[in-house]
Amino acid sequence: MTAPARPDATHDPALASWVESANRPDTDFPIQNLPLGVFRRGEGDGPRIGIAIGEEILDLAACAELGYLDELPDVARACTAPVLNDLMALPAAARGELRRSVSALLRRGSAAESDRRLRARGLVPQATVTMVLPAAVGDYTDFYASIFHATNVGSMFRPDHPLLPNYKWVPIGYHGRASSIVVSGVPVRRPRGQIKAPDAPAPEYLPTRQLDYELELAAWVAGSNPLGEPVPIERAEERIFGVSLLNDWSARDIQSWEYQPLGPFLAKNFATSIAPWVVTWEALAPFRVPAAPRPEGDPPPLAYLDGATNRSHGGLAVTLEVRLSTARMRERGIPPCRLSRAEFGEMYWTLAQLVAHHASNGCNLRPGDLLASGTVSGPEADQRGCLLELTWRGAHPLRLPSGEERRFLEDGDEVIMTGWCERPGLRRIGLGECRGRVIPAPPA
């Protein structure tokens, strides 16, 4: 059995960086985090791999050019690529070596602190760059791993039997559309689709009136398994490179008409927003928690989804939050208002279980594949991770600080997702932001 990643010297809360903005208590990106992303320095420049440190980005290609990665030749080559896929293909040990090397380079008092070449060529202010997708996504799968979300949605349509019989046995998922995944900040166009009113004789092709967001956490796949060979639960965590915030945009009225009998299709494949930063699995080591306990009477996971490591460390103590900013709020200088906050540690299925189940039939997962958790909701009303739940299918509209009401999203609305990990005695680390603003539907 493979042990989970353990906290080491890179997580020491006393560590400080010579990049002073990384030492501020409110930063998402202290030296204990070191998330990876891909950025462009300027117009016409190619994409480069970097690590967020405070308000700066450490350019890993520049580090390789300056010789800071000479002792890690495979890592150095991967760091000069335009996407993270080559890094994702390396063994977990190599990823750990990169983290330790960068931590040593950036810590206060290191030899790199006085290297003027590194400061000039290797550090770039985040405010001056354009972030792009971290990896070339080959395949994208969205799961349904929150029992609270599944129960709430089921209660709206099947009040007597909200959960389908298979939910507590099998991690439910569907294959999404990799080509329409966009990085945070890219506008999201309201989709058109077939919509059928309950009393209408036929559907119409219209812009969705029930545009929604879904608060999710996504896992990036590392390594590969040959076609036909499953990934055992004991090895599943080796296949997780890191996590990012994700917004699975959904058109609920299109969805309700088209989803039977084969599930989500055009109601969900028009756009998926993802945060630009990948918080690595190694950075999350201090924030591992036991898998959420199953209620009395629930069946235990089948053997291929069960293991001692997953039971004791399968969960993640990540807090996720959604805020909303409308056009009127921005005009009046009203800050975004919080809609919900939920804990990822309460998910019914762990990320390792999602990986193991996805590959259990021999499906070959590849570096850069993306597995999303499904909507993250909790047991309380203010922990619901989408408007479908928060407004109970529009029956109970939200009242905003501007005096506006929302059942679903309107044009000009901006959804802002954030996430962070914090525990006593540890340095707080963040996942950055995942933003998306709704723009009008195209002409008919």
Side-chain angles (χ1 to χ4, degrees):
M1 179 178 296
T2 303
R6 300 290 186 185
D8 59 23
T10 64
H11 304 99
D12 183 351
L15 280 183
S17 175
W18 49 265
V19 179
E20 289 303 326
S21 59
N23 302 320
R24 297 172 185 165
D26 60 344
T27 182
D28 272 354
F29 308 127
I31 193 172
Q32 292 81 1
N33 193 347
L34 306 179
L36 287 146
V38 177
F39 68 98
R40 295 181 186 272
R41 285 177 176 258
E43 191 74 29
D45 291 335
R48 301 171 73 89
I49 294 174
I51 282 180
I53 180 71
E55 296 176 358
E56 308 287 324
I57 296 175
L58 180 70
D59 185 330
L60 290 184
C63 289
E65 293 162 6
L66 293 170
Y68 280 101
L69 300 176
D70 283 354
E71 294 183 6
L72 305 172
D74 291 340
V75 170
R77 281 191 293 272
C79 287
T80 61
V83 286
L84 291 176
N85 297 65
D86 289 351
L87 270 176
M88 292 171 171
L90 294 177
R95 305 196 298 269
E97 289 171 350
L98 173 62
R99 175 178 170 82
R100 288 187 289 274
S101 296
V102 171
S103 177
L105 183 153
L106 288 172
R107 70 186 57 181
R108 185 178 287 165
S110 72
E113 184 172 358
S114 58
D115 188 342
R116 294 181 179 178
R117 297 179 308 157
L118 180 62
R119 287 180 178 269
R121 295 171 54 187
L123 278 186
V124 191
Q126 290 188 37
T128 67
V129 307
T130 300
M131 300 302 297
V132 298
L133 285 176
V137 182
D139 282 296
Y140 163 50
T141 303
D142 195 14
F143 283 90
Y144 199 47
S146 167
I147 196 168
F148 302 111
H149 173 65
T151 301
N152 285 336
V153 174
S155 296
M156 298 175 199
F157 300 95
R158 302 177 302 275
D160 295 333
H161 303 284
L163 283 181
L164 293 172
N166 63 351
Y167 186 85
K168 296 180 180 181
W169 292 97
V170 56
I172 304 298
Y174 72 94
H175 290 283
R177 183 75 185 175
S179 66
S180 54
I181 296 173
V182 297
V183 74
S184 172
V186 173
V188 173
R189 187 174 292 279
R190 181 178 298 273
R192 287 177 171 270
Q194 283 198 24
I195 299 171
K196 183 182 181 301
D199 55 351
E204 295 182 81
Y205 179 66
L206 299 168
T208 177
R209 302 184 185 98
Q210 297 182 357
L211 184 60
D212 202 356
Y213 62 82
E214 290 190 344
L215 171 65
E216 305 195 20
L217 192 67
W220 294 92
V221 171
S224 59
N225 56 295
L227 182 65
E229 293 189 12
V231 175
I233 186 71
E234 295 85 356
R235 305 292 300 272
E237 290 191 9
E238 297 175 20
R239 303 298 306 281
I240 302 176
F241 181 82
V243 303
S244 297
L245 296 165
L246 183 140
N247 183 352
D248 177 35
W249 302 90
S250 302
R252 301 301 187 185
D253 42 6
I254 298 173
Q255 182 180 1
S256 65
W257 171 240
E258 74 173 7
Y259 83 102
Q260 297 187 67
L262 293 180
F265 183 36
L266 299 182
K268 285 178 169 285
N269 72 358
F270 60 93
T272 301
S273 298
I274 193 159
W277 295 110
V278 182
V279 176
T280 65
W281 201 241
E282 292 76 21
L284 295 166
F287 304 100
R288 306 298 299 280
V289 294
R294 299 205 161 195
E296 186 175 351
D298 279 14
L302 296 181
Y304 80 99
L305 294 172
D306 193 22
T309 297
N310 188 69
R311 289 193 297 271
S312 63
H313 292 85
L316 288 176
V318 182
T319 301
L320 300 172
E321 187 174 280
V322 181
R323 290 174 292 149
L324 179 67
S325 173
T326 70
R328 185 184 300 180
M329 291 169 67
R330 294 190 295 275
E331 290 170 0
R332 297 182 179 181
I334 301 172
C337 63
R338 190 177 85 190
L339 299 185
S340 69
R341 179 183 289 178
E343 300 296 329
F344 191 76
E346 296 181 329
M347 298 294 275
Y348 197 79
W349 298 102
T350 68
L351 292 179
Q353 287 173 320
L354 302 187
V355 171
H357 180 65
H358 202 313
S360 63
N361 65 345
C363 174
N364 53 327
L365 302 177
R366 299 171 297 182
D369 285 354
L370 196 62
L371 309 184
S373 64
T375 305
V376 182
S377 294
E380 305 302 326
D382 62 354
Q383 296 176 318
R384 295 170 179 171
C386 62
L387 288 175
L388 180 69
E389 293 177 81
L390 282 170
T391 70
W392 209 254
R393 208 181 177 190
H396 306 291
L398 301 179
R399 186 79 172 176
L400 304 180
S402 56
E404 299 169 275
E405 287 188 343
R406 284 293 183 274
R407 289 175 170 82
F408 292 97
L409 296 171
E410 301 290 341
D411 292 348
D413 288 354
E414 184 172 39
V415 178
I416 306 153
M417 296 178 175
T418 55
W420 62 90
C421 305
E422 55 185 350
R423 299 179 78 175
L426 295 171
R427 185 65 195 270
R428 175 193 178 278
I429 65 172
L431 279 67
E433 286 187 341
C434 183
R435 288 176 174 259
R437 186 176 297 182
V438 179
I439 59 176

